[in-house]
Amino acid sequence: MAARAAPSDLETRSQPIDSGWGQQLLLFALFFAGLMLLHAPLLRLPYFWDEAGYYIPAARDLYLSGALIPQSTPSNAHPPLVMAWLALAWRVAGYSTLVTRTAMLALAAFSLLGLFRLSRAAANLHVAWATTALVAIYPVFFTQSSLAQVDLPAAGFTFWALLAYFEDHPWKQVVWFSLAALAKETAILAPVALFGWQLIVPYIRLRWPGLAPAKGRRTRAFYLVLPVVPLAGWYAYHYAKTGYLFGNPEFFRYNLAATLNPLRIPLAMLMRVWQVCGYFGLYLLTLAGLLAMLRSPQKESGVARPRIEIWQQAAFAAVLLAYLLFMSAVGGAVLARYLLPVVPLVILAWVSTLWRRARYWKLIAGAIAIAFVAGLFANPPYGFSLEDNLAYRDYIVMHAGASRFLAMRYPNARVLTAWPASDELTRPWLGYVARPFHVVRIEDFTAPQVELATAARSQFDVALVFSTKYEPPHPLLEDWAAWQGIKEKFFGYHRDLLPDEIAPRLSGRILYHKKENGQWVAVIAFEEDKNKAQDARMQWPAASYSRSR
């Protein structure tokens, strides 16, 4: 009997996907082990920024008291699913940063499994492996994989929901979309976008039949509305308990009331488009995909390689457009992690295009992978959020070192600082100090805030000052005053004074100073009656400030 030839790419794509539990568990174990290995040096790091400011305190309150509404930090009305997952992990394995980051990596591995299966359903096995690998090392996804935040889990549940949508399993998609929305409320954008798209499809079916799903699908628009119900139930519960529907007033003002400006929205849209098409090496993938579009499809056995079906591409586009529009209007900080549910879909579309049209598509994908890895270590020539690459590790290491210095030299001191260091010094369970300090908090280290501290000089003994934003050595557009004004007005930009500028204003001297990759931290001490100062009671309350994003 003659040996059967290996199936071609076209045959592989047309074969049903094996969704057996054994295969899925094996893939999950593979992804989880890979993530654990790559993140091994990061697993015991103390908590960072919004982790420390909201998500860990909220999860810890749930762990200690069973309270769904945070008690140790103002509630931001984020649904509690991810916090409940962390509380469960701590209940099983004990409270530690290692357990936290391992639990988050498990969610990241589950998300990659969902993306792999979605990519295979929409394209083929080759595209699925390449897409999953690229997403796993894309700097924003990589760093968010072990951070205790909610955007990546919401993205993962969205991938599983889109898979159920493509495979025509209505109730599965309801469950997955509901879980996504209970991980983060903005994940409701995906089913709402698909609902709107399905309402439009009947009106364009005759002119563009390819945009409509195949006949015989059981999926109806009604199912896409159902995930709103559990999310609405959470908000009703939150309102009944707190009197606020969408979080505390400061959170609402920062993330919604202050962002609905007709000039800010298009500027934010440009930033969002860059985050989807160009951020941290994505521009190389976008350029390669556009150039590949100029080429004819590759052929196998005389048949052109197939594209992702047009109606599936339209579904992706509907979800992408919904995120771009909504995230341009809402959110005080224009953070890249908010787009994690859609950036992997864009990567999938471009990888499929390269596979279909480029002869050496694997080499192109390899070059893009190198660019993504480089982006993990090399900062861009413009301001960015520290959590988008390994700059967040530099921040944590420097702050941990400064905290240890304070604990050894000034264990009873009253410390002037800003958030999030104010939380790092007052909450030992965040991993920075063994015992809490008395903290006097200012908003940042701009000249006006330092002047306020100078006027209250008698109320603190030492100052822990640090860079609250990344400042590149030679930032783009640094000489364009109009752009600097726009950033200050709409995007919270400010310039921190440097330690050499802060110390003389406070009549102190720098005893500890560390700089690394555009960030710095310093401890400033004062030559006054230290014994009297250390025994004095703090007049300003120790603040726990959280403007979680």
Side-chain angles (χ1 to χ4, degrees):
M1 181 181 294
R4 187 180 185 274
S8 68
D9 285 328
L10 301 184
E11 291 172 330
T12 300
R13 186 176 188 272
S14 63
Q15 291 173 355
I17 297 174
D18 180 7
S19 58
W21 285 104
Q23 184 189 60
Q24 293 190 53
L25 286 174
L26 182 61
L27 285 173
F28 172 81
L30 175 65
F31 295 148
F32 181 65
L35 289 174
M36 285 290 290
L37 182 63
L38 292 174
H39 286 261
L42 310 172
L43 296 181
R44 296 185 183 274
L45 290 176
Y47 298 114
F48 171 77
W49 213 271
D50 283 349
E51 285 187 302
Y54 185 79
Y55 298 110
I56 291 301
R60 187 170 179 271
D61 289 343
L62 181 56
Y63 167 63
L64 294 176
S65 66
L68 293 175
I69 306 293
Q71 300 170 344
S72 60
T73 189
S75 175
N76 293 338
H78 290 313
L81 183 62
V82 176
M83 280 69 87
W85 168 251
L86 291 178
L88 176 62
W90 296 335
R91 185 67 61 187
V92 172
Y95 177 84
S96 71
T97 54
L98 175 62
V99 172
T100 302
R101 305 212 182 282
T102 302
M104 295 309 299
L105 287 176
L107 292 180
F110 185 73
S111 300
L112 288 177
L113 177 59
L115 177 65
F116 176 85
R117 296 200 62 217
L118 173 64
S119 302
R120 189 177 178 188
N124 57 65
L125 191 59
H126 302 292
V127 171
W129 279 115
T131 299
T132 305
L134 286 177
V135 169
I137 60 175
Y138 175 60
V140 179
F141 189 98
F142 181 90
T143 56
Q144 291 297 314
S145 294
S146 61
L147 293 179
Q149 299 182 142
V150 297
D151 299 274
L152 192 147
F157 290 128
T158 300
F159 302 152
W160 283 95
L162 288 171
L163 174 65
Y165 177 76
F166 286 170
E167 293 183 339
D168 198 20
H169 297 305
W171 286 110
K172 285 185 179 181
Q173 78 184 23
V174 170
V175 171
W176 291 124
F177 276 134
S178 297
L179 289 174
L182 291 177
K184 188 175 184 184
E185 63 279 3
T186 52
I188 201 65
L189 290 171
V192 169
L194 293 175
F195 172 76
W197 173 244
Q198 288 204 183
L199 293 182
I200 297 173
V201 164
Y203 298 99
I204 61 175
R205 186 190 300 269
L206 295 179
R207 176 168 294 186
W208 295 293
L211 292 176
K215 293 182 179 180
R217 286 173 53 88
R218 292 175 293 130
T219 303
R220 299 291 182 267
F222 166 75
Y223 292 103
L224 295 167
V225 180
L226 293 181
V228 175
V229 176
L231 181 61
W234 161 251
Y235 277 120
Y237 175 81
H238 186 273
Y239 181 78
K241 292 293 184 179
T242 67
Y244 302 122
L245 188 60
F246 297 116
N248 65 81
E250 167 61 16
F251 176 80
F252 181 82
R253 185 205 65 78
Y254 177 72
N255 287 287
L256 183 61
T259 64
L260 298 178
N261 182 288
L263 178 58
R264 183 190 186 278
I265 291 175
L267 291 173
M269 173 64 82
L270 292 176
M271 296 171 69
R272 291 304 191 189
V273 171
W274 170 250
Q275 289 171 348
V276 166
C277 299
Y279 202 50
F280 278 111
L282 283 175
Y283 66 91
L284 294 175
L285 179 59
T286 301
L287 179 61
L290 290 174
L291 291 176
M293 292 288 290
L294 302 177
R295 299 178 59 86
S296 300
Q298 298 289 307
K299 293 184 177 180
E300 295 182 9
S301 302
V303 180
R305 289 180 174 179
R307 60 165 61 93
I308 297 175
E309 293 189 43
I310 296 297
W311 71 271
Q312 293 177 334
Q313 294 187 46
F316 287 160
V319 175
L320 174 62
L321 182 61
Y323 266 86
L324 288 176
L325 291 174
F326 187 83
M327 293 302 177
S328 299
V330 172
V334 188
L335 298 179
R337 75 172 191 245
Y338 294 168
L339 296 180
L340 278 176
V342 293
V343 169
L345 304 183
V346 174
I347 294 176
L348 165 58
W350 283 132
V351 170
S352 177
T353 300
L354 292 174
W355 168 81
R356 184 172 186 245
R357 296 176 180 271
R359 181 177 181 182
Y360 299 107
W361 73 275
K362 292 181 180 179
L363 291 178
I364 298 173
I368 293 165
I370 293 173
F372 284 176
V373 172
L376 279 169
F377 300 93
N379 296 335
Y382 48 81
F384 73 105
S385 178
L386 300 178
E387 65 187 6
D388 291 347
N389 75 354
L390 291 177
Y392 88 91
R393 178 199 170 275
D394 298 336
Y395 170 98
I396 292 175
V397 170
M398 288 195 299
H399 278 236
S403 300
R404 287 193 298 269
F405 178 84
L406 281 173
M408 290 187 294
R409 290 286 298 271
Y410 302 97
N412 300 313
R414 301 170 299 173
V415 184
L416 173 77
T417 193
W419 185 83
S422 55
D423 284 356
E424 296 163 9
L425 295 178
T426 56
R427 295 175 167 178
W429 38 271
L430 294 178
Y432 291 87
V433 295
R435 51 182 297 195
F437 282 84
H438 292 299
V439 167
V440 175
R441 187 182 63 79
I442 54 179
E443 295 297 319
D444 48 48
F445 301 105
T446 56
Q449 287 293 307
V450 172
E451 289 302 319
L452 288 177
T454 302
R457 174 61 196 83
S458 62
Q459 300 181 21
F460 55 89
D461 311 317
V462 295
L464 173 62
V465 299
F466 59 95
S467 52
T468 60
K469 296 181 182 296
Y470 170 74
E471 291 288 353
H474 304 287
L476 297 175
L477 308 178
E478 62 179 329
D479 297 325
W480 188 11
W483 175 238
Q484 300 301 320
I486 288 173
K487 290 198 297 180
E488 291 175 3
K489 181 177 181 180
F490 295 122
F491 302 109
Y493 175 79
H494 64 266
R495 179 187 175 275
D496 292 314
L497 296 177
L498 297 174
D500 291 339
E501 299 172 301
I502 298 174
R505 297 188 185 212
L506 296 178
S507 300
R509 63 190 182 94
I510 300 171
L511 295 186
Y512 180 95
H513 188 199
K514 294 291 184 181
K515 295 190 297 183
E516 188 168 357
N517 297 329
Q519 300 182 66
W520 52 264
V521 64
V523 174
I524 300 173
F526 311 98
E527 298 300 330
E528 294 183 354
D529 186 355
K530 295 181 181 178
N531 293 330
K532 180 179 178 181
Q534 290 180 4
D535 293 336
R537 299 188 61 182
M538 183 180 60
Q539 297 180 28
W540 286 7
S544 174
Y545 175 71
S546 171
R547 186 161 61 184
S548 179
R549 303 165 294 184

